Amino acid sequence: MRSKKFLKAEQASLPWDTPGLLAGVDEAGRGPLAGPVVAAAVILDERHPIKGLADSKQLTALRRERLFDEIRAKALCCSVAQASVEEIDQLNILQATMLAMRRAVQGLRLKPGKVLVDGNRLPPLDVLAEAVVSGDALVPAISAASILAKVTRDRLLCELHQQHPEYGFDRHKGYGTAQHLRALQAHGALAVHRRSFAPVARALASTALAGEGGAH
């Protein structure tokens, strides 16, 4: 058995509390019926604080866009990653979210000593990590990650709107709003729709039934 003195000395050498090596991680897009789930990891620079960081859902779109640029300019490093619609359908949304988070952390230019993840679950990581419930409102680095993830995903959905304006992706961002459900019924599911999600599965089933009816 190791002595207390040895354990104490060993702990003193660990760099967990080294300034600048704390990464915040969050995701955007677990609930929508379409598009990838996006995660971000951010290591903030204490020498260049960013005012107004908060849960991305509590900010206006304009404020998020401005903070997005400021975070990219001032953070020590940041990384944004995705899990695709195919991965969501294959793994399930929870596991795909964990995959996107792990990719975001792995994409950081600097290796963090500790990672704080929004929520109550942790992706498999090779560094010390802690889950923080409501972390996007409590931890600045997680707030920054939530902003990067949401702005990135919203931009992807706006691009999707340019290709398929009849679905209204620029407004609902893939969430199951009444408008989106009507579009699914009227136009069917696209390749970007998550087939493992019940409303999409129902739309596909009804389209198939309509096709069979027309074949008789």
Side-chain angles (χ1 to χ4, degrees):
M1 185 174 175
R2 292 184 294 181
S3 69
K4 288 184 179 179
K5 183 178 179 181
F6 179 78
L7 286 170
K8 199 170 183 181
E10 182 182 48
Q11 187 163 350
S13 70
L14 294 175
W16 301 142
D17 297 321
T18 304
L21 290 182
L22 177 71
V25 178
D26 201 2
E27 53 74 30
R30 281 180 67 164
L33 308 180
V37 59
V38 177
V42 179
I43 300 177
L44 294 174
D45 187 346
E46 292 181 356
R47 297 166 300 176
H48 299 96
I50 300 170
K51 292 182 180 178
L53 290 175
D55 175 3
S56 62
K57 297 184 289 295
Q58 303 302 318
L59 301 169
T60 65
L62 179 61
R63 184 71 182 132
R64 284 195 299 266
E65 288 282 348
R66 288 176 176 169
L67 283 168
F68 179 94
D69 293 336
E70 190 174 357
I71 293 162
R72 301 277 302 200
K74 290 184 175 180
L76 280 177
C77 63
C78 51
S79 168
V80 180
Q82 302 178 24
S84 68
V85 171
E86 292 77 16
E87 287 170 326
I88 291 168
D89 286 339
Q90 180 183 356
L91 299 172
N92 76 43
I93 185 59
L94 174 61
Q95 294 307 317
T97 300
M98 296 298 109
L99 177 61
M101 286 180 166
R102 188 177 71 187
R103 286 171 173 165
V105 173
Q106 290 173 337
L108 287 169
R109 180 175 53 84
L110 302 172
K111 188 178 177 75
K114 185 174 183 180
V115 175
L116 298 181
V117 180
D118 183 59
N120 59 5
R121 291 176 182 269
L122 290 172
L125 298 170
D126 62 353
V127 295
L128 183 69
E130 181 182 342
V132 183
V133 176
S134 300
D136 48 7
L138 300 171
V139 180
I142 297 179
S143 300
S146 79
I147 291 165
L148 291 193
K150 181 159 178 57
V151 171
T152 299
R153 190 175 189 283
D154 284 356
R155 289 178 179 178
L156 288 172
L157 271 292
C158 285
E159 289 174 14
L160 198 56
H161 174 73
Q162 300 300 317
Q163 301 166 36
H164 305 282
E166 66 274 17
Y167 287 84
F169 288 119
D170 61 328
R171 297 181 65 187
H172 54 66
K173 303 300 190 292
Y175 282 88
T177 63
Q179 176 197 12
H180 192 183
L181 294 175
R182 285 195 299 270
L184 267 174
Q185 289 300 322
H187 306 292
L190 298 167
V192 295
H193 278 104
R194 302 172 181 179
R195 278 147 172 73
S196 55
F197 280 45
V200 179
R202 284 196 295 269
L204 286 167
S206 64
T207 302
L209 283 171
E212 289 174 10
H216 291 300

